[in-house]
Amino acid sequence: MLTGDQYLQSLRDGRQLYVNGHAVPDVTEEPLLRASALAAAEGYDRHYQPGEDASGPYFLIPTSVDELRQVQDMYLDWDFPTISTSNGLLMVLTAASRMRADFPQYAERALAYFEDAKRRDIRIVQTITDAKGNRSLSPSKQDDPDLYVRIVDRSADGVVIRGAKLHISSAAIAHELMVMPTKRMKPGEEDYSVAAAVPVNAPGVKIINASFAPRPDLDPDFYPYSSRHVMTEGFIVFDDVFVPNDRLFLAGEVEHSATFAHALGLWERLGSVGSYVRLADTLVGLAQLIAEANGLERIGHIKDKIAEMITYATLIRAGFEAAVQHSTFTPEGWASPDEMFTNAAKYHAAAEFSRMVRHLHDIAGGSVLTAPSLRDLRNPETGPYLEKYMRTMEGVDAEYRMRLFHTIRDFTADAFGGWKHVTVIQAGGGLYAQKVVVTNHYDMENAKALALETAGITPDGTVVSAAEVPSAELTDGYAPL
Ligand SMILES: Cc1cc2nc3c(=O)[nH]c(=O)nc-3n(C[C@H](O)[C@H](O)[C@H](O)COP(=O)(O)OP(=O)(O)OC[C@H]3O[C@@H](n4cnc5c(N)ncnc54)[C@H](O)[C@@H]3O)c2cc1C
């Protein structure tokens, strides 16, 4: 396994990075990106064990419901590249299992890749979202053929790929990019059906970075959350990148072009749902704390809003539990979360998030945006005024209440808050993507049968005279109190 220092050293590998208009010669020294690398290095140190055979828990393949839950619980304490490595490898194994019957060679390569990644203790990120050009046209119909990543050359040793993948979280601080098609490709789009593991420092890979991280010269106390939790997203260009055969998991087989996207959707969304349980609970906690600090916790409409936030959090938790509990198992014995519960919970968490933030802002008041900084509190000229007017009662002093306001602003209404708002909707695919999966897995026949029964129509479509339908007590599932 690698130590944190060895990991940081491994990032100095000639990778071509850019941010804010300049090249980044060393990601561990770049002020805007450095914090992400250091957080991942801490993760390496936390997991490090000596010995040739040691490996991190992020390489565990769950084979039971308990193990699946254990891995998901551990995600809550891991840095993003480590979560992404686990997610990504489980995705590759799920895809391999689904491809094994048709393309056993790809399944074997995927397994070999898993073992190799474990041996090298690398971090892998998921690289699926293409530039996509005109969204209403398929890849082969675009006016520029590179708007979806594609194979531009083939040889006996491998392929050359060209295109771009956007928004890739933690790409700049990972070792490898797991590239895969963003959607199902049609016959004739074989060159777009490509999945591969590409080193971040492969010749031709260039990553242009963006991050919500507060600028390094800003007061960390004013950003109590985002100064400690940072993320970088990469706009990745593949400028004719060679991929050797042993890193190719799909190279033209359109019938499996969507296999990777489906498998990633499942694992990525389950991980998101697990983290949204904590996110929702945190929103509830902030709402309750600021209500108490403002003396509002017994007011009816405040309690009602918090009750709605609690219900939101509880339903996400219920969806997560159901997804894990109803796991299915691949022929290899690997556990796989339930598709419908995973996607329904992800949809609910994402679709209702902004409403919950609205409740928090409504409860908290305008100081979410206007509370002066703790530096002003410490300034002898202004501090006494803030002490006097920002406190509310015995036990609620200015510093405590201001910290709550700064946290709510940072967490939900500033750069990180804006990032989170868009991320809950888009990461793992927009809302519609989850609705499609839920609809596909829903038991529609059962729903139709119940509706027919309610209408007094037999399964073959015969309308029964209402007078002939035997009346019954209203006991089937609902009894008014
Ligand atoms: C912070 C962040 C981190 C991310 N991290 C990653 C990552 O690590 N790896 C990765 O691969 N991706 C990542 N993503 C990308 C994410 O998966 C996409 O943003 C998402 O899938 C939507 O794609 P898009 O941004 O291109 O938007 P679009 O595809 O333009 O979608 C915008 C809207 O248009 C709709 N739409 C688009 N095309 C069609 C169509 N043909 N028919 C009907 N409706 C359509 C969508 O449903 C959506 O409602 C990340 C995104 C964010 C915001």
Side-chain angles (χ1 to χ4, degrees):
M1 294 177 73
L2 298 182
T3 63
D5 276 346
Q6 287 169 331
Y7 159 71
L8 291 174
Q9 183 56 37
S10 73
L11 300 179
R12 300 182 189 111
D13 58 0
R15 56 189 59 205
Q16 282 189 274
L17 307 178
Y18 303 84
V19 72
N20 274 346
H22 63 264
V24 177
D26 181 349
V27 65
T28 70
E29 296 295 333
E30 169 60 38
L32 204 58
L33 306 176
R34 180 180 154 73
S36 304
L38 294 182
E42 269 176 37
Y44 268 98
D45 278 337
R46 209 171 329 121
H47 287 121
Y48 179 76
Q49 287 173 39
E52 281 291 295
D53 297 332
S55 67
Y58 32 92
F59 292 112
L60 178 77
I61 308 175
T63 55
S64 67
V65 165
D66 284 348
E67 278 182 358
L68 179 56
R69 185 187 304 279
Q70 201 187 326
V71 171
Q72 295 294 319
D73 284 350
M74 286 190 290
Y75 281 8
L76 296 176
D77 297 321
W78 292 354
D79 56 278
F80 184 79
T82 302
I83 296 171
S84 174
T85 301
S86 167
N87 254 338
L89 288 170
L90 293 175
M91 176 278 291
V92 170
L93 294 176
T94 302
S97 174
R98 293 175 185 177
M99 290 173 74
R100 188 182 297 281
D102 300 331
F103 300 104
Q105 74 278 21
Y106 285 140
E108 289 315 309
R109 264 185 212 172
L111 265 178
Y113 180 69
F114 174 85
E115 291 302 330
D116 188 49
K118 183 157 102 173
R119 187 184 55 74
R120 292 184 291 139
D121 201 12
I122 58 169
R123 296 296 183 264
I124 303 161
V125 290
Q126 314 320 314
T127 313
I128 183 167
T129 311
D130 290 279
K132 295 190 285 200
N134 181 339
R135 269 68 175 151
S136 64
L137 299 178
S138 58
S140 56
K141 299 283 189 312
Q142 301 287 334
D143 60 9
D144 181 334
D146 300 338
L147 290 171
Y148 287 74
V149 166
R150 66 183 180 123
I151 297 171
V152 290
D153 197 15
R154 294 172 187 263
S155 66
D157 302 333
V159 303
V160 174
I161 60 172
R162 184 188 301 161
K165 295 278 190 185
L166 276 52
H167 332 277
I168 310 305
S169 301
S170 292
I173 56 162
H175 298 107
E176 298 204 356
L177 310 166
M178 184 57 67
V179 177
M180 66 206 97
T182 198
K183 58 187 241 180
R184 185 182 305 286
M185 300 296 165
K186 302 189 185 97
E189 295 179 330
E190 284 73 14
D191 287 340
Y192 294 98
S193 299
V194 56
V198 178
V200 170
N201 70 342
V205 172
K206 299 167 205 290
I207 306 180
I208 308 155
N209 292 278
S211 176
F212 62 76
R215 298 305 182 253
D217 54 342
L218 292 179
D219 175 10
D221 271 337
F222 204 58
Y223 297 90
Y225 185 80
S226 63
S227 57
R228 292 177 292 122
H229 298 87
V230 290
M231 183 76 99
T232 172
E233 266 82 36
F235 185 121
I236 305 180
V237 179
F238 296 90
D239 190 2
D240 290 3
V241 176
F242 175 71
V243 183
N245 285 329
D246 65 342
R247 290 294 186 258
L248 264 182
F249 309 118
L250 190 74
E253 298 78 3
V254 284
E255 60 272 44
H256 274 293
S257 50
T259 302
F260 288 83
H262 288 159
L264 180 63
L266 179 61
W267 286 106
E268 213 278 333
R269 287 172 200 156
L270 183 74
S272 296
V273 172
S275 74
Y276 294 159
V277 174
R278 177 177 282 194
L279 176 66
D281 285 342
T282 305
L283 293 181
V284 171
L286 288 170
Q288 183 67 24
L289 287 176
I290 201 66
E292 289 172 5
N294 289 347
L296 285 168
E297 76 276 19
R298 289 187 216 286
I299 304 290
H301 79 90
I302 302 283
K303 286 194 334 199
D304 185 59
K305 288 182 180 101
I306 293 177
E308 199 177 319
M309 295 171 78
I310 292 171
T311 306
Y312 166 76
T314 305
L315 284 176
I316 303 172
R317 180 173 276 111
F320 176 78
E321 290 295 329
V324 172
Q325 202 59 39
H326 291 266
S327 290
T328 52
F329 292 86
T330 66
E332 296 84 354
W334 303 328
S336 203
D338 179 87
E339 297 261 9
M340 197 168 82
F341 288 123
T342 301
N343 280 274
K346 166 70 171 68
Y347 176 83
H348 175 69
E352 295 301 317
F353 176 74
S354 59
R355 188 176 159 79
M356 299 306 128
V357 172
R358 187 188 90 186
H359 286 334
L360 174 60
H361 291 172
D362 195 9
I363 291 167
S367 293
V368 165
L369 290 184
T370 64
S373 74
L374 294 187
R375 287 178 178 171
D376 294 307
L377 185 66
R378 289 177 197 128
N379 177 349
E381 285 179 38
T382 51
Y385 296 117
L386 295 178
E387 294 277 10
K388 180 176 167 66
Y389 294 114
M390 286 303 287
R391 73 175 284 283
T392 48
M393 64 190 90
E394 198 181 328
V396 183
D397 65 18
E399 184 177 24
Y400 170 78
R401 189 155 164 264
M402 287 166 76
R403 171 52 69 94
L404 284 183
F405 283 130
H406 294 155
T407 305
I408 295 171
R409 188 202 73 258
D410 187 19
F411 202 62
T412 61
D414 208 323
F416 171 82
W419 177 88
K420 198 74 194 168
H421 252 91
V422 178
T423 303
V424 293
I425 301 288
Q426 293 295 355
L431 293 175
Y432 182 62
Q434 288 115 69
K435 279 188 178 166
V436 169
V437 181
V438 171
T439 306
N440 287 344
H441 286 82
Y442 181 73
D443 189 349
M444 189 58 87
E445 289 312 309
N446 176 53
K448 282 163 60 179
L450 287 172
L452 287 173
E453 190 188 320
T454 304
I457 301 174
T458 62
D460 66 2
T462 308
V463 178
V464 180
S465 160
E468 290 170 31
V469 180
S471 54
E473 279 285 305
L474 183 61
T475 54
D476 46 354
Y478 174 74
L481 291 173

